[in-house]
Amino acid sequence: MRLVLFVLSILTLSSCSVSHYVKRELKNSPVLSGHQVGIAVYDPARQKTLASHQSDKYFTPASNTKLFSFYAGLSVLGDSLPGLQYQVWGDSLVFRGTGDPSLLHPDLPMSAVYGFLRSRPERLFFSPANYQNERFGPGWAWDDYTGYYQPERSPLPVYGNMARFVSDSTRLLYVGPRYWRDSLLTDTTVPGIRRDEDRNLFRHSLYALPPGLEQDVPVRMSHQLTADLLAVALYRPVGLVNESLEGQPLRTVYSIPSDSLYARMMQVSDNMLAEQLMLLYAAANRLPLNTEQAIEHALEHHLNDLPDRPIWRDGSGLSRYNLFTPRTMVKLLEKIYQKVPRERLFALLARGGKTGTLRNIFKGEETFIFAKSGSLSNNYSLSGYLVTRKGKTLLFSFMNNNFTRTSSEVRKEVERILTGLHQRY
């Protein structure tokens, strides 16, 4: 009996010490005292909350939203992504997109869809009839249309819906795919590279990029442009039809391993992949390619046990309409932790001091943070998994909103407090 009481006292002391440490550090931090901060720390082995500060309050999550898209994908997609669906009608093959972004994407493995379409003997026709989305999500900044981080959404992206500009050692500018070579215009009034808002005319200064650098610029997409880009890439005609394939027996072509998408999306915080992932979720559940319907379906069927219902509006976190609580983020992290083997999960996430958005913080010989960061102007959040010096895995969400200091100052405080948690416990 005494042994049981002793063990319980040690566990209680540990919980209290974590809570005391977090509260003390928040109180004494001049950086964190001037804005809204929410923290939740949870021990999944003991199923116990170790620290909580405003964890029931709603915060703008920024790219922490991708954790929700990640879980949605894990819930319905298998080891490989469904790349397209098709039906053969006589001498014609009519195909439609599933939202899969991998076709000719420069940063993903080669999609099997390309070889499939290249080798088919039938005439090819692309149908976008299952697509019901706007090109931008709700709450996105309209004037970010030319930013690499805000490509347009579409049913069947090609080349990531981007044009990639690269400069050589002489600072000459090249663009890929070559389809866009005749759409470049030298403009001495433009710094760098900028696309016209309503058309694919890329204006660039004489020396737009330093030697050896590259820049992605989103393309103004249309269904006809998708068919045209495919035709050039496949060296064969691709027609455009608005033919609904609903209720008909469709075959599926799988494209790339799902983890290839997850890893890039989570590590470098790729917004385009996250947005398209929610369309993949919709297709897997036989819904129209519509983000709003996909989110409602995911909340009802896979996320109905969260402590606070999320206000979830897009797949990537570009929208400032998104609102989550820290304790809801931790509950989601627990659900992911239960679904994905630890080694695989940690390989997919950004690792502190090593990869992705966390490569420049939490530096040291020992990697102990595996997480997803989220940044918007005046907002920074970090949610994920922390391995303590004693080998315990803790789940945490550290959310910061409406600060007027620099983001780097806030990141350093988040790093300092979480590093202390690792070292002490």
Side-chain angles (χ1 to χ4, degrees):
M1 185 63 176
R2 289 182 178 179
L3 178 60
V4 173
L5 291 174
F6 174 75
V7 172
L8 288 175
S9 68
I10 293 297
L11 292 176
T12 302
L13 178 62
S14 175
S15 299
C16 291
S17 61
V18 171
S19 179
H20 175 74
Y21 166 75
V22 169
K23 290 180 179 178
R24 183 190 71 210
E25 296 304 314
L26 288 179
K27 181 180 179 181
N28 294 334
S29 172
V31 174
L32 301 181
S33 61
H35 63 265
Q36 297 172 348
V37 178
I39 297 178
V41 180
Y42 181 79
D43 184 345
R46 295 162 56 195
Q47 298 184 340
K48 184 175 180 63
T49 298
L50 304 184
S52 175
H53 175 76
Q54 297 199 115
S55 67
D56 61 340
K57 306 301 182 184
Y58 282 88
F59 290 80
T60 301
S63 283
N64 275 202
T65 304
K66 293 182 177 69
L67 286 163
F68 279 80
S69 301
F70 179 43
Y71 186 76
L74 291 171
S75 298
V76 297
L77 300 176
D79 294 338
S80 298
L81 301 179
L84 60 75
Q85 298 169 328
Y86 73 96
Q87 188 177 56
V88 175
W89 293 344
D91 66 348
S92 299
L93 185 149
V94 181
F95 62 94
R96 67 182 191 181
T98 60
D100 175 27
S102 66
L103 184 54
L104 299 171
H105 194 295
D107 299 314
L108 292 174
M110 186 59 153
S111 169
V113 167
Y114 178 82
F116 170 80
L117 293 176
R118 185 85 174 85
S119 63
R120 294 296 299 200
E122 301 91 352
R123 296 186 301 160
L124 300 180
F125 294 92
F126 166 55
S127 173
N130 62 329
Y131 185 68
Q132 297 182 7
N133 243 9
E134 300 292 337
R135 62 189 179 107
F136 287 165
W140 289 15
W142 71 267
D143 56 343
D144 285 345
Y145 67 88
T146 196
Y148 73 91
Y149 48 83
Q150 193 168 294
E152 297 182 11
R153 306 181 297 190
S154 69
L156 183 62
V158 186
Y159 298 103
N161 291 351
M162 297 179 297
R164 174 162 290 180
F165 294 86
V166 180
S167 65
D168 65 11
S169 59
T170 64
R171 302 191 70 170
L172 288 176
L173 196 64
Y174 300 89
V175 65
R178 298 176 67 186
Y179 180 92
W180 299 116
R181 284 184 304 173
D182 296 333
S183 300
L184 275 61
L185 177 65
T186 303
D187 187 338
T188 57
T189 67
V190 173
I193 307 168
R194 188 169 183 86
R195 197 200 82 212
D196 283 8
E197 180 183 350
D198 57 354
R199 58 177 176 166
N200 290 313
L201 181 63
F202 302 92
R203 302 176 186 271
H204 64 92
S205 60
L206 186 59
Y207 299 113
L209 292 175
L213 290 188
E214 63 182 33
Q215 179 180 335
D216 292 334
V217 179
V219 169
R220 183 67 174 90
M221 292 302 298
S222 69
H223 301 317
Q224 183 61 59
L225 177 58
T226 297
D228 291 345
L229 285 169
L230 279 175
V232 173
L234 295 169
Y235 301 99
R236 58 182 303 186
V238 176
L240 180 66
V241 295
N242 191 33
E243 188 70 41
S244 174
L245 301 177
E246 294 300 325
Q248 302 183 38
L250 298 176
R251 297 181 180 180
T252 299
V253 179
Y254 290 86
S255 58
I256 64 171
S258 301
D259 278 5
S260 299
L261 182 149
Y262 297 148
R264 179 167 178 81
M265 178 185 78
M266 300 302 287
Q267 291 176 15
V268 304
S269 203
D270 192 306
N271 293 324
M272 187 265 189
L273 300 188
E275 292 299 329
Q276 298 297 141
L277 178 56
M278 291 310 300
L279 299 185
L280 278 161
Y281 176 91
N285 286 284
R286 299 182 180 179
L287 299 170
L289 299 188
N290 177 273
T291 302
E292 182 179 357
Q293 291 188 42
I295 287 173
E296 286 302 314
H297 187 279
L299 289 173
E300 179 182 353
H301 292 87
H302 303 288
L303 295 165
N304 57 9
D305 57 346
L306 300 175
D308 307 295
R309 182 176 174 85
I311 299 176
W312 180 15
R313 300 300 303 276
D314 69 2
S316 63
L318 281 169
S319 176
R320 289 182 181 264
Y321 298 160
N322 295 314
L323 290 172
F324 305 147
T325 66
R327 67 183 184 183
T328 288
M329 295 300 307
V330 163
K331 179 63 177 179
L332 176 69
L333 290 167
E334 183 183 27
K335 292 168 72 69
I336 294 172
Y337 196 63
Q338 293 170 345
K339 185 178 286 289
V340 184
R342 186 173 183 269
E343 184 176 347
R344 175 191 171 203
L345 174 59
F346 285 6
L348 295 175
L349 296 170
R351 293 178 289 161
K354 298 293 190 297
T355 60
T357 59
L358 301 183
R359 66 185 179 277
N360 293 322
I361 58 176
F362 301 103
K363 290 184 176 180
E365 294 183 3
E366 185 178 13
T367 303
F368 61 90
I369 290 286
F370 306 85
K372 182 72 199 75
S373 63
S375 300
L376 288 171
S377 299
N378 313 107
N379 293 275
Y380 178 76
S381 295
L382 186 67
S383 299
Y385 307 89
L386 182 153
V387 180
T388 71
R389 181 174 52 83
K390 296 179 181 179
K392 296 180 180 180
T393 299
L394 303 181
L395 283 50
F396 72 90
S397 182
F398 200 144
M399 308 187 81
N400 299 269
N401 278 187
N402 302 328
F403 52 78
T404 57
R405 291 177 178 266
T406 64
S407 295
S408 62
E409 289 179 281
V410 175
R411 280 197 302 270
K412 287 178 181 177
E413 281 297 271
V414 171
E415 178 184 13
R416 181 183 66 80
I417 292 174
L418 293 178
T419 299
L421 191 59
H422 159 74
Q423 293 172 343
R424 286 169 172 79
Y425 308 103

